[in-house]
Amino acid sequence: MKYAGHIVRKGLIAKLINAVSYDGSFVPVYGRVPDNATYPYIKIGNAEMGEIDQNQSTFVQTINTLIEVVTRFDSDTGGVTESDIVTNLVTQLIRTRSAGYIDLSADGFNVYTQTIGFINKIEEAENDHYYYRSIINIDIRVEQV
């Protein structure tokens, strides 16, 4: 069985990069956030994998990945709306029917479900800024072909 976590992460980045626009600019998408990141940004987190033994002829995995939408403001006067707008754009791209699933065929996998487990909203007041994070938990089931 081949592990599909890094392949799913690569597919999510490809799906979202240059596809989410806010305030006239594309929202950057990262696997690892650089020190000079601009806000808002989208981060594709590490994946957790569980095997699903549904039949005797193929290997099936569920890959659970966190997608974070992060916004930052100088004061507590903004941020929630921007976070919600970008989160909405991301969910429209990743929670589709089968025609819109990420394409992993070049890496030997077929995606057969792509569902959102939950979205968690976090507000953090730091000394320098206010941060708003939407954490989207997505479950992607893949079959090794």
Side-chain angles (χ1 to χ4, degrees):
M1 178 178 80
K2 297 190 308 186
Y3 169 64
H6 64 292
I7 295 166
V8 166
R9 189 170 55 250
K10 181 176 76 171
L12 286 168
I13 290 171
K15 181 81 170 179
L16 295 173
I17 201 157
N18 293 328
V20 178
S21 179
Y22 180 80
D23 201 24
S25 298
F26 286 116
V27 177
V29 179
Y30 302 113
R32 187 198 65 76
V33 181
D35 292 338
N36 64 346
T38 59
Y39 292 82
Y41 65 78
I42 300 165
K43 179 182 182 252
I44 310 299
N46 290 328
E48 295 179 351
M49 186 277 281
E51 183 179 4
I52 303 168
D53 191 17
Q54 291 184 328
N55 61 53
Q56 296 178 1
S57 61
T58 62
F59 292 109
V60 178
Q61 304 169 47
T62 183
I63 306 294
N64 179 272
T65 305
L66 299 179
I67 300 171
E68 294 185 52
V69 173
V70 183
T71 60
R72 179 181 81 176
F73 290 86
D74 292 330
S75 69
D76 64 351
T77 60
V80 174
T81 300
E82 180 181 48
S83 175
D84 287 346
I85 290 169
V86 176
T87 299
N88 178 52
L89 295 170
V90 169
T91 60
Q92 288 180 60
L93 289 168
I94 62 169
R95 184 56 186 111
T96 67
R97 295 298 173 214
S98 60
Y101 290 167
I102 58 175
D103 182 8
L104 307 179
S105 59
D107 292 299
F109 289 94
N110 174 50
V111 174
Y112 70 90
T113 64
Q114 200 166 294
T115 58
I116 293 174
F118 62 84
I119 298 175
N120 189 13
K121 305 284 286 183
I122 298 173
E123 179 180 336
E124 298 171 313
E126 299 293 333
N127 291 336
D128 60 341
H129 293 95
Y130 281 81
Y131 296 87
Y132 297 92
R133 296 188 315 152
S134 295
I135 302 171
I136 305 164
N137 177 291
I138 185 164
D139 290 309
I140 299 174
R141 291 192 177 193
V142 298
E143 174 185 30
Q144 185 177 325
V145 292

